[in-house]
C-alpha cells in the first residue's frame, strides 16, 4: 500500500489535458454503467463541520475507492472555508488496498475540469468574456482552464470582498486578459458569455437569469447559492452531471429548489459526443460532485508513480 501526500502528487506533474481526458472518459463510463457511484452519506458535528463519503467503482479500471471529505463552516472573519479530503483506493480483484492519497488537489482540479467538460458542450465556442463570482481557489482554477480552452479577452470579477476580486482581476491581466473587479453582481455578469459561481455562502443579492446574455453558459459550482433558481424559464436549459445524485440531493433538502424545468444529463451529451450550444438558449449547469472522477484521477496518480510505461 502506498501513501501519496499533496507534494507527492504535485511532483508527478499530471497535465490538465490528462485530467480532462480522465473526466470525459469517466463521465461516459457513468452513462454506460461501467462506472458506478453509491449514495453519499453525510454526517454533521455539533460545530457545523460536515463529513461525507463519495464511494465509486470503476469496472474498466479495475478499482474502487472512496473519498472522505471534511468541510468546516465558512468563516466570514477570515473569508475562507477549510476543506480536507483523502481517497482510499482498492483493487477490484481481491479487494486489496492499493493507496491512500491526499485529495485536496484532486478535488479542486476535478471540480474545475467538470465545469470545462460542460462548457465545451454548452458554451459558445467563440466566447470572449468570462464572469467569475467569488474569487477564491476555484475561481483561479476555472480562470486557468477556461482561458486555455476559449478565446477569452475579458474577465469580470465579483467577490464579497472587493480586494479578493481585485486580486483575481490582476491574475487575469497577467495572462493577457482585460479584467475588472465589480462591486455589484448584475454589472459583473451582464454581457458575459461564460459565468462561474463559486461562493461558499449565499450572496446578499441573487443573480437573476434574465441578466444573463442569450446563449450564455453558467456553471453553478456553488450549488446555486448565488442565483435565483426559481426564476429559470422554459427557455433555459438546465443540466446536471448526475441525474440520480441530483434527485437524491433535492429529495433530502441539500439543494435549493429549482423552477419546474427538466434536468438534462451532461453524461448523455458526453457519451453521444454532442454539442448543444448552437440553439442560442441559456445553459445552466449544476455539478453535484462526481466522486468517480476523483477515484479515476487517484488511479492515474498510482500509475504515474510507477514511472514510464514500457
Amino acid at each position: 500500500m502506498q501513501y501519496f501526500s499533496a507534494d507527492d502528487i504535485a511532483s508527478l506533474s499530471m497535465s490538465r489535458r490528462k485530467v480532462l481526458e480522465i473526466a470525459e472518459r469517466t463521465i461516459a463510463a457513468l452513462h454506460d454503467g461501467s462506472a458506478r457511484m453509491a449514495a453519499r452519506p453525510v454526517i454533521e458535528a455539533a460545530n457545523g463541520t460536515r463529513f461525507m463519503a463519495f464511494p465509486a467503482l470503476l469496472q474498466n479500471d479495475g478499482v474502487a475507492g472512496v473519498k472522505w471529505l471534511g468541510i468546516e463552516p465558512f468563516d466570514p472573519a477570515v473569508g475562507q472555508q477549510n476543506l480536507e479530503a483523502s481517497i482510499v483506493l482498492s483493487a477490484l480483484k481481491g479487494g486489496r488496498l492499493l493507496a491512500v492519497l491526499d485529495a485536496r488537489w484532486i478535488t479542486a482540479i476535478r471540480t474545475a475540469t467538470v465545469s470545462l467538460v460542460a462548457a465545451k458542450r454548452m458554451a459558445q465556442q467563440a466566447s470572449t468574456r468570462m464572469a467569475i463570482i467569488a474569487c477564491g481557489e476555484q475561481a483561479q482554477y476555472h480562470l486557468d482552464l477556461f482561458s486555455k480552452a476559449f478565446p477569452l479577452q475579458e474577465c469580470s470579477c465579483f467577490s464579497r470582498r472587493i480586494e479578493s476580486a481585485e486580486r483575481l482581476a490582476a491574475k487575469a491581466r497577467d495572462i493577457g486578459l482585460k479584467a475588472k473587479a465589480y462591486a455589484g453582481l448584475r454589472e459583473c455578469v451582464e454581457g458575459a458569455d461564460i459565468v462561474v459561481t463559486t461562493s461558499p455562502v449565499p450572496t446578499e443579492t441573487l443573480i437573476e437569469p434574465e441578466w444573463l446574455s442569450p446563449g450564455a453558459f453558467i456553471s453553478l459550482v456553488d450549488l446555486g447559492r448565488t442565483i435565483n433558481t426559481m426564476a429559470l424559464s422554459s427557455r433555459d436549459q438546465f443540466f446536471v452531471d448526475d441525474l440520480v445524485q441530483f434527485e437524491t440531493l433535492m429529495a433530502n433538502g441539500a439543494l435549493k429548489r429549482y423552477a419546474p424545468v427538466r434536468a438534462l444529463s451532461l453524461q448523455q451529451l458526453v457519451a453521444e459526443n454532442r454539442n448543444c450550444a448552437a440553439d442560442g438558449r441559456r445553459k445552466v449547469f449544476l455539478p453535484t460532485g462526481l466522486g468517480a472522477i476523483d477515484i479515476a484521477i487517484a488511479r492515474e496518480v498510482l500509475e504515474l508513480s510507477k514511472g514510464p510505461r514500457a
Side-chain angles (χ1 to χ4, degrees):
M1 191 276 291
Q2 294 178 258
Y3 174 73
F4 294 90
S5 68
D7 289 341
D8 294 332
I9 294 170
S11 71
L12 295 170
S13 301
M14 189 185 302
S15 71
R16 303 294 198 259
R17 177 176 293 183
K18 172 55 71 174
V19 176
L20 180 62
E21 290 173 2
I22 291 170
E24 292 183 328
R25 184 180 71 238
T26 307
I27 290 170
L30 286 166
H31 184 261
D32 69 27
S34 58
R36 289 179 284 149
M37 298 186 298
R40 62 194 194 210
V42 180
I43 190 166
E44 185 169 323
N47 66 356
T49 300
R50 287 179 297 127
F51 297 93
M52 56 193 79
F54 297 77
L57 185 150
L58 309 178
Q59 190 69 46
N60 295 340
D61 291 332
V63 298
V66 61
K67 182 174 77 173
W68 178 247
L69 179 68
I71 308 176
E72 284 186 335
F74 178 76
D75 185 349
V78 297
Q80 68 181 29
Q81 183 177 41
N82 191 47
L83 177 151
E84 296 289 339
S86 299
I87 288 174
V88 175
L89 187 70
S90 297
L92 296 187
K93 186 175 181 180
R96 182 169 59 92
L97 180 62
L98 298 172
V100 175
L101 305 91
D102 184 295
R104 289 171 294 177
W105 177 81
I106 291 174
T107 299
I109 192 64
R110 183 263 306 153
T111 301
T113 299
V114 171
S115 283
L116 181 59
V117 171
K120 285 175 58 183
R121 290 157 177 83
M122 301 177 202
Q124 304 292 330
Q125 294 307 298
S127 294
T128 59
R129 183 179 174 194
M130 182 177 187
I132 301 178
I133 309 304
C135 299
E137 180 186 62
Q138 271 306 310
Q140 296 176 42
Y141 274 97
H142 278 78
L143 177 61
D144 176 50
L145 291 182
F146 279 66
S147 64
K148 293 178 174 65
F150 291 91
L152 297 181
Q153 298 175 12
E154 300 178 52
C155 182
S156 304
C157 309
F158 172 88
S159 202
R160 292 174 62 254
R161 299 182 180 190
I162 193 68
E163 297 85 2
S164 296
E166 292 283 8
R167 283 194 294 270
L168 186 66
K171 291 183 178 180
R173 287 190 288 269
D174 286 344
I175 60 174
L177 303 182
K178 295 178 182 178
K180 180 178 178 180
Y182 287 84
L185 272 176
R186 183 167 189 166
E187 296 82 1
C188 184
V189 303
E190 282 187 328
D193 303 303
I194 294 171
V195 179
V196 177
T197 67
T198 69
S199 180
V201 292
T203 48
E204 291 183 9
T205 302
L206 295 178
I207 296 169
E208 295 294 338
E210 65 182 25
W211 298 348
L212 304 175
S213 301
F217 165 80
I218 181 168
S219 181
L220 306 179
V221 178
D222 58 11
L223 301 180
R225 293 186 184 97
T226 53
I227 188 171
N228 181 2
T229 55
M230 293 305 292
L232 296 175
S233 77
S234 59
R235 279 286 300 161
D236 300 320
Q237 285 192 308
F238 176 61
F239 287 84
V240 297
D241 55 4
D242 189 90
L243 288 169
V244 173
Q245 194 159 249
F246 168 70
E247 291 165 2
T248 300
L249 292 172
M250 285 289 291
N252 65 24
L255 289 178
K256 293 169 59 176
R257 289 184 56 80
Y258 283 75
V261 291
R262 185 167 65 95
L264 304 172
S265 171
L266 172 64
Q267 293 178 22
Q268 186 170 356
L269 281 185
V270 172
E272 296 175 357
N273 195 24
R274 186 157 52 89
N275 187 297
C276 64
D279 62 12
R281 299 167 70 178
R282 289 183 299 231
K283 307 296 189 299
V284 180
F285 173 60
L286 177 75
T288 60
L290 295 180
I293 299 176
D294 296 327
I295 303 308
I297 296 173
R299 177 187 177 274
E300 180 64 17
V301 168
L302 181 61
E303 292 301 311
L304 285 174
S305 72
K306 298 174 182 177
R309 298 180 178 90

